[in-house]
Amino acid sequence: MNSTISPMPLTETRNRRASRVFVFTVAAASLVLFLSSSNAQTSRKAVAAAAAEDQSGAFKEYRGVQLGMLADEVRKKLGTPKDKGDEQDFFVFGETETAQIVYDQTHKVITISADYLTAAADVPTAKTVFGSDVEAKADGSVYRMVRFPKAGYWVSYNRTSGATPMTSITLQKIQ
């Protein structure tokens, strides 16, 4: 028995080659676009991180209270705390705003945390805190934390989702 394999027609061979070249080209182009996008995102993050190290945030104080102030100075600015202590004071400014001020052993402010229990217009926005907008998550919540090593502190902004979101802004000395 003599079996012979008939050769593929030339046009079918060319079509298969062209198809493979097309698939390879699309795959290569996709890879190049993906790598370019990844590198651009990495570069943007690196630039933002470098800028953050060289600067301090837009939000540096709360109601005139700054990191490093003495407890007595804080109480002069904010009034009598609802709960007073050597390590921490708790202030209440109506039904929708509270603040915790934490002190070190020398009674200097090391943490300022303000909480807003409303969606009122006077609640600081992420743009107010960071100097630029922060993209909300799909559920409407917002979170961002930025370190300012040269300035010696970090700041975070956290807003929950919903009709009556809670917003927390925290400044803390880097130790």
Side-chain angles (χ1 to χ4, degrees):
M1 244 180 168
N2 194 3
S3 69
T4 57
I5 301 175
S6 61
M8 228 187 281
L10 192 54
T11 54
E12 190 174 12
T13 303
R14 285 183 185 154
N15 287 342
R16 283 189 179 178
R17 253 189 225 144
S19 177
R20 284 185 194 145
V21 168
F22 176 76
V23 169
F24 176 78
T25 304
V26 169
S30 297
L31 181 61
V32 167
L33 286 174
F34 173 77
L35 292 175
S36 296
S37 173
S38 294
N39 287 339
Q41 287 177 357
T42 302
S43 296
R44 283 192 299 270
K45 287 179 183 177
V47 168
E53 284 185 15
D54 291 339
Q55 303 173 17
S56 59
F59 195 80
K60 298 176 187 166
E61 64 178 45
Y62 168 75
R63 291 182 171 240
V65 174
Q66 297 179 349
L67 296 173
M69 287 179 79
L70 291 171
D72 291 339
E73 295 173 306
V74 171
R75 293 171 186 144
K76 283 180 187 175
K77 291 241 183 226
L78 300 181
T80 305
K82 173 103 172 141
D83 190 10
K84 180 178 174 181
D86 286 338
E87 296 176 359
Q88 175 177 299
D89 287 339
F90 181 72
F91 294 89
V92 177
F93 305 103
E95 293 181 16
T96 61
E97 183 179 348
T98 63
Q100 289 178 279
I101 310 296
V102 180
Y103 308 106
D104 65 11
Q105 296 159 342
T106 64
H107 305 287
K108 289 184 179 177
V109 177
I110 57 170
T111 304
I112 302 166
S113 183
D115 297 311
Y116 302 88
L117 307 171
T118 182
D122 60 342
V123 175
T125 63
K127 186 172 186 170
T128 304
V129 173
F130 297 110
S132 62
D133 286 321
V134 175
E135 188 175 335
K137 295 179 184 173
D139 67 355
S141 64
V142 176
Y143 174 77
R144 183 172 183 200
M145 178 182 162
V146 177
R147 293 179 170 274
F148 301 99
K150 289 186 178 180
Y153 72 96
W154 57 261
V155 62
S156 71
Y157 181 92
N158 188 19
R159 186 189 74 211
T160 62
S161 62
T164 54
M166 183 176 103
T167 302
S168 295
I169 302 168
T170 304
L171 290 160
Q172 184 165 320
K173 180 180 175 183
I174 297 173
Q175 299 183 17

